[in-house]
Amino acid sequence: MLQEINFNDGVPITEEFFVQNIAGKHNEDIALSLFPDDLQRGLKFTEDKEAMFRRLASEQLKPINGLYKLKKWVEDRGLKRAAVTNAPRANAELMISLLGLSDFFHAVIIGDDCQHAKPHPEPYLKALEVLNVSKDHTFVCEDSVSGIKAGVAAGMPVVGLTTRNPEHLLLEAKPTLLIKDYEDPKLWTALEELDKQAAAAKPTA
């Protein structure tokens, strides 16, 4: 799409450029980064980009391996859950619906609803407030640098996913754990440990 509007004189952007300037970022920040001298043009581009994403997602969106296994783990324990995203609401609701998760999330927090989007912690702090839970009993799953930074800044342990962005960049954002997908044994070892801690904390009759 950037080539079509002759961005960078029509030279395709690199994966590195994408990760640095676009992946996981809020659209206003993307617009400013790509078109610092013409914000309106940048915002128009991001609107077109999101419309294209929705068309492609409707045909091609697939769940990350192990997603429904983790969903069941969360539901079986009666945990509260929120989707926290920099995506526009239309995109977020489409993805949640396509993945069959509309009834799973108790809240959907959108970057646009906050004064500051990720990597600022505000969206995650807002989720804690809406769910009425403590950061000490919460964990976050994230696949972008800005998302991991937001969760860490909000004081929560973050599980980073290497499904989209380079591992070394995600590590720089300091996730508690880095996994390749929700089937990763590292994740399930950590969840088993949580179950043990929960069992140990329960008073015996």
Side-chain angles (χ1 to χ4, degrees):
M1 288 179 73
L2 285 170
Q3 279 182 277
E4 285 172 13
I5 60 171
N6 207 37
F7 179 82
N8 194 30
D9 294 327
V11 178
I13 63 168
T14 61
E15 180 75 11
E16 196 176 349
F17 181 93
F18 175 79
V19 168
Q20 196 169 359
N21 297 282
I22 298 172
K25 291 189 165 54
H26 188 260
N27 274 334
E28 198 163 311
D29 296 327
I30 295 171
L32 278 168
S33 175
L34 297 180
F35 302 97
D37 302 323
D38 193 347
L39 179 59
Q40 289 313 308
R41 186 183 183 205
L43 291 172
K44 172 71 171 70
F45 171 77
T46 59
E47 277 178 28
D48 293 344
K49 170 178 76 74
E50 298 304 348
M52 171 70 82
F53 175 87
R54 287 190 290 276
R55 284 197 297 278
L56 293 174
S58 297
E59 302 159 11
Q60 300 177 20
L61 189 69
K62 292 186 177 74
I64 293 171
N65 286 343
L67 173 66
Y68 300 113
K69 182 180 175 185
L70 179 61
K71 174 181 181 283
K72 184 177 187 309
W73 186 92
V74 169
E75 287 174 333
D76 286 351
R77 283 147 188 80
L79 304 179
K80 296 179 183 178
R81 50 264 184 191
V84 180
T85 177
N86 272 351
R89 184 166 291 280
N91 289 32
E93 290 179 350
L94 174 66
M95 288 188 285
I96 288 167
S97 171
L98 289 172
L99 293 169
L101 298 174
S102 297
D103 296 329
F104 176 69
F105 291 111
H106 299 121
V108 179
I109 308 297
I110 304 294
D112 284 341
D113 296 343
C114 304
Q115 198 168 348
H116 305 284
K118 304 177 200 176
H120 195 280
E122 185 186 339
Y124 276 115
L125 296 174
K126 185 168 183 174
L128 291 174
E129 188 182 332
V130 168
L131 295 179
N132 192 27
V133 294
S134 161
K135 65 180 176 58
D136 300 324
H137 301 284
T138 308
F139 69 92
V140 168
C141 296
E142 270 289 355
D143 68 349
S144 71
V145 172
S146 66
I148 293 173
K149 284 182 175 175
V152 170
M156 290 182 270
V158 179
V159 178
L161 286 128
T162 59
T163 46
R164 181 66 196 85
N165 295 296
E167 191 171 316
H168 70 279
L169 289 179
L170 296 177
L171 280 171
E172 285 172 14
K174 298 186 170 49
T176 307
L177 199 64
L178 203 58
I179 60 173
K180 60 179 174 50
D181 57 28
Y182 295 124
E183 295 276 9
D184 196 311
K186 282 188 288 184
L187 172 65
W188 292 96
T189 299
L191 294 179
E192 281 169 23
E193 187 56 38
L194 283 181
D195 278 343
K196 284 179 194 166
Q197 289 173 11
K202 275 185 185 168
T204 51

